[in-house]
Amino acid sequence: MSDRVVINNYYVYGLNIKSEIEIDEFQKRDIIIEDKIVNIKNGIMSNEIKDDILKGIHIKLSKDKIWFHIVNIATYYITNGEEVIVEIVEGADMQLMKVYLMCSCLGFIMLQRDMVAIHGGVIDIDDKAVIFTGDRGAGKSTLTTALRERGYKFLSDDVASIKIDKVPYVMPGFPYQKLCKSAMDKFRYDKKSFTYFMSDKEIKYIVPAKEEFISESKQLCSIIKLTVGDVEEVTIEELRGSEKLNNIIENIYRGEYLKYLGGMNLKYFKQCLDIAKNISFFKITRPANKFTVDTQIDLIEREISRAKEKIV
């Protein structure tokens, strides 16, 4: 007689999830709303997908069907914004397998559902959500960790899922951060005490932050884009109009794949427009070889205080 499959209930990024795979980082729920469930299951890929992998094809995308293969880890098949099937490679790094499940797979689910998500960490500043976005190496993890160390709460580490209810709200993620080695060293974390995995470019550590985590949605006040430039001191500028909208679109989580899913439809674009209309957007440029986090935070606190006054 086969073992009974245990189903785990989670609520992450505004998604009600039932998963055969236990994800320690997610907060379990006894009951979730039985509506628009995302089912995560162990399974076996079709012969067609296996043949493609043997030919060296590692990803195929359409609006309702997406699969991708990570060598020596797993193959993931995402359909209709409703289901993720995972075939795990024997001997796989299980932590890395779950990282793709927590991030890329749920990112694709949100794209299939026309849910807007921004690639960035989310901090609660004065009871409003602030998203910190930017390219890899811009300093998102370092800045959000510094804010958390200063006593600010956080909603999400890497994915900011947004719903529009007259105004935009950010939905909570899960109470862990993924930090690179340099951030771990700057904040004097004992690396030996934390689980780590090899991401695309570098080792990352999974740091629990349960005490600082907020498990409820918060109204979005601002998005702050972090950049590194040829400057001597930190600068901050507010983006407006089409420049603000374009930057929101450019920083959509897994947005590089939208063109393979039929492009951005009117419903999705209208959500981006509604976000732009209701928030402020700032661009911070910092020098490359200076530790300027304290200065960045001072500028952010000043600008967010001003931006809050404009929000009803």
Side-chain angles (χ1 to χ4, degrees):
M1 186 174 178
S2 61
D3 292 337
R4 176 175 167 269
V5 175
V6 176
I7 303 297
N8 303 281
N9 295 330
Y10 305 112
Y11 179 74
V12 182
Y13 305 138
L15 300 170
N16 297 300
I17 298 170
K18 286 184 171 291
S19 178
E20 294 180 6
I21 298 172
E22 186 170 13
I23 303 171
D24 294 334
E25 291 77 11
F26 287 178
Q27 291 187 309
K28 286 186 178 180
R29 295 216 170 175
D30 293 330
I31 299 172
I32 58 173
I33 299 170
E34 295 287 334
D35 181 37
K36 297 183 179 179
I37 296 289
V38 177
N39 289 291
I40 298 175
K41 301 176 180 179
N42 290 296
I44 304 295
M45 297 298 126
S46 68
N47 289 331
E48 181 181 358
I49 291 176
K50 290 180 181 291
D51 288 343
D52 279 343
I53 293 169
L54 289 173
K55 293 173 187 174
I57 300 169
H58 285 178
I59 186 168
K60 276 195 173 180
L61 306 102
S62 64
K63 176 61 178 174
D64 298 322
K65 296 180 181 179
I66 298 169
W67 69 262
F68 65 95
H69 175 72
I70 305 299
V71 176
N72 297 326
I73 302 296
T75 305
Y76 305 85
Y77 185 50
I78 304 108
T79 55
N80 299 312
E82 296 175 351
E83 186 173 72
V84 181
I85 297 174
V86 186
E87 182 175 355
I88 303 169
V89 175
E90 186 176 353
D93 178 333
M94 296 301 285
Q95 187 60 57
L96 187 52
M97 182 278 295
K98 291 180 183 181
V99 167
Y100 282 102
L101 189 56
M102 292 186 288
C103 299
S104 293
C105 288
L106 295 186
F108 284 133
I109 287 283
M110 287 186 276
L111 287 177
Q112 289 179 335
R113 291 189 177 197
D114 292 322
M115 293 171 62
V116 175
I118 301 296
H119 185 194
V122 189
I123 298 291
D124 181 317
I125 298 180
D126 296 334
D127 207 36
K128 293 288 189 293
V130 179
I131 301 172
F132 294 89
T133 188
D135 294 335
R136 178 184 285 132
K140 298 188 297 293
S141 294
T142 300
L143 182 56
T144 54
T145 302
L147 285 161
R148 187 167 57 77
E149 292 278 321
R150 283 201 183 191
Y152 287 102
K153 304 294 185 181
F154 89 105
L155 277 81
S156 190
D157 172 54
D158 203 36
V159 181
S161 175
I162 301 171
K163 72 170 183 179
I164 309 292
D165 184 7
K166 296 183 180 177
V167 294
Y169 289 82
V170 178
M171 310 300 286
F174 52 94
Y176 286 76
Q177 283 191 292
K178 299 188 295 295
L179 301 184
C180 61
K181 180 180 179 297
S182 61
M184 295 289 285
D185 291 339
K186 282 171 184 170
F187 294 100
R188 299 181 180 178
Y189 284 110
D190 180 6
K191 294 191 289 293
K192 297 191 293 294
S193 301
F194 298 93
T195 302
Y196 66 90
F197 65 95
M198 187 68 198
S199 68
D200 294 342
K201 299 283 186 180
E202 61 185 340
I203 291 174
K204 293 212 171 174
Y205 296 82
I206 297 177
V207 177
K210 296 181 180 180
E211 292 183 3
E212 299 91 347
F213 179 68
I214 294 175
S215 59
E216 61 189 58
S217 61
K218 291 287 182 179
Q219 184 180 346
L220 178 60
C221 166
S222 300
I223 299 177
I224 297 176
K225 180 180 180 179
L226 307 179
T227 63
V228 181
D230 185 17
V231 294
E232 291 296 321
E233 302 295 337
V234 180
T235 63
I236 188 166
E237 62 177 313
E238 184 169 3
L239 306 185
R240 302 176 187 275
S242 61
E243 192 176 12
K244 175 164 65 169
L245 177 61
N246 290 340
N247 272 273
I248 289 170
I249 292 171
E250 286 171 9
N251 288 282
I252 290 168
Y253 188 72
R254 295 294 180 257
E256 66 270 26
Y257 294 109
L258 270 172
K259 60 186 176 183
Y260 302 104
L261 308 181
M264 183 179 293
N265 61 35
L266 185 60
K267 176 185 176 183
Y268 199 98
F269 178 77
K270 186 178 182 302
Q271 290 179 83
C272 293
L273 194 59
D274 285 342
I275 293 167
K277 287 178 179 177
N278 286 282
I279 68 160
S280 55
F281 195 114
F282 299 97
K283 177 183 175 184
I284 285 181
T285 305
R286 65 172 177 87
N289 298 312
K290 280 185 183 178
F291 187 70
T292 58
V293 164
D294 291 337
T295 303
Q296 292 177 55
I297 291 175
D298 289 343
L299 292 172
I300 288 162
E301 288 175 332
R302 183 191 74 192
E303 295 298 338
I304 294 302
S305 178
R306 292 174 179 172
K308 264 192 65 185
E309 295 173 2
K310 303 175 186 177
I311 294 179
V312 178

